[in-house]
């Protein structure tokens, strides 16, 4: 192998390693943001339970409101050399997405914060966005009378 070939392949390997590190980092961040979001939704559902609303929130992966399943799923899309991450919130036709940028910025409902700031203390607008999703999910299930698990 000549020096030019080796340099070319070394550059490709370096790009791949950078991509792999970013992919792993974004996956970890998306999982952590999903965990934080699930915890906030559990708190919102606990409050609704005190108001005699039919909810199930003991299992963060099996939360329900009026029988409608609430899903909070980290999503990482990779197509070398790009990595896109988000957390998708769903309940029936109620959908939200929390966007996660590779620079550590997180956008939830138009509010932008850093991942480090979110880990230290949950900003009120982030918590309000989760409550807004729970409200919309409740209204969807209540109005449609449909099983929102679909």
């Amino acid at each position: 192998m000549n020096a030019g070939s080796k340099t070319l392949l070394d550059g490709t390997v370096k790009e791949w390693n950078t991509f792999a590190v970013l992919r792993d980092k974004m996956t970890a961040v998306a999982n952590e943001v999903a965990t934080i979001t699930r915890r906030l939704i559990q708190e919102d559902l606990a409050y609704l339970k005190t108001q005699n609303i039919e909810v199930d929130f003991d299992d963060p992966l099996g939360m329900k409101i009026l029988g409608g399943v609430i899903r909070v799923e980290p999503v990482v899309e990779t197509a070398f050399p790009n990595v896109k991450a988000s957390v998708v919130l769903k309940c029936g036709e109620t959908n939200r997405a929390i966007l996660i940028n590779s620079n550590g910025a997180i956008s939830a409902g138009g509010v932008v914060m850093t991942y480090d700031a979110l880990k230290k203390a949950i900003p009120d607008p982030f918590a309000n966005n989760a409550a807004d999703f729970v409200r919309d999910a409740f209204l969807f299930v209540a109005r449609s009378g449909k099983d929102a698990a679909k």
Side-chain angles (χ1 to χ4, degrees), residues 102-122:
S102 58
N103 67 0
I106 296 173
S107 175
V111 177
V112 179
M113 69 209 74
T114 65
Y115 173 62
D116 291 334
L118 181 63
K119 287 189 330 184
K120 289 178 186 172
I122 297 169

Side-chain angles (χ1 to χ4, degrees), residues 1-14:
M1 172 182 292
N2 65 30
S5 296
K6 185 176 183 218
T7 300
L8 180 68
L9 293 176
D10 284 344
T12 302
V13 169
K14 182 178 177 182

Side-chain angles (χ1 to χ4, degrees), residues 122-134:
I122 297 169
D124 286 343
F126 190 86
N128 293 346
N129 188 55
D132 192 42
F133 167 76
V134 170

Side-chain angles (χ1 to χ4, degrees), residues 13-128:
V13 169
K14 182 178 177 182
E15 285 180 51
W16 176 259
N17 289 336
T18 300
F19 165 78
V21 166
L22 180 60
R23 179 192 60 209
D24 294 347
K25 173 187 163 192
M26 296 295 282
T27 299
V29 170
N31 286 327
E32 181 66 22
V33 171
T35 299
I36 291 168
T37 304
R38 285 185 195 110
R39 188 175 63 240
L40 289 170
I41 290 173
Q42 281 181 296
E43 291 172 6
D44 294 336
L45 295 176
Y47 174 76
L48 289 179
K49 186 166 185 98
T50 67
Q51 304 301 309
N52 298 317
I53 303 295
E54 178 190 334
V55 296
D56 184 1
F57 60 90
D58 294 330
D59 177 6
L61 299 176
M63 296 181 289
K64 295 181 182 178
I65 187 164
L66 299 177
V69 176
I70 295 174
R71 300 197 190 292
V72 179
E73 302 169 348
V75 177
V76 179
E77 299 173 15
T78 59
F80 180 77
N82 301 311
V83 179
K84 294 180 183 179
S86 62
V87 174
V88 177
L89 293 73
K90 294 181 182 181
C91 183
E93 293 180 23
T94 304
N95 296 302
R96 292 279 167 86
I98 300 168
L99 304 177
I100 304 166
N101 297 312
S102 58
N103 67 0
I106 296 173
S107 175
V111 177
V112 179
M113 69 209 74
T114 65
Y115 173 62
D116 291 334
L118 181 63
K119 287 189 330 184
K120 289 178 186 172
I122 297 169
D124 286 343
F126 190 86
N128 293 346

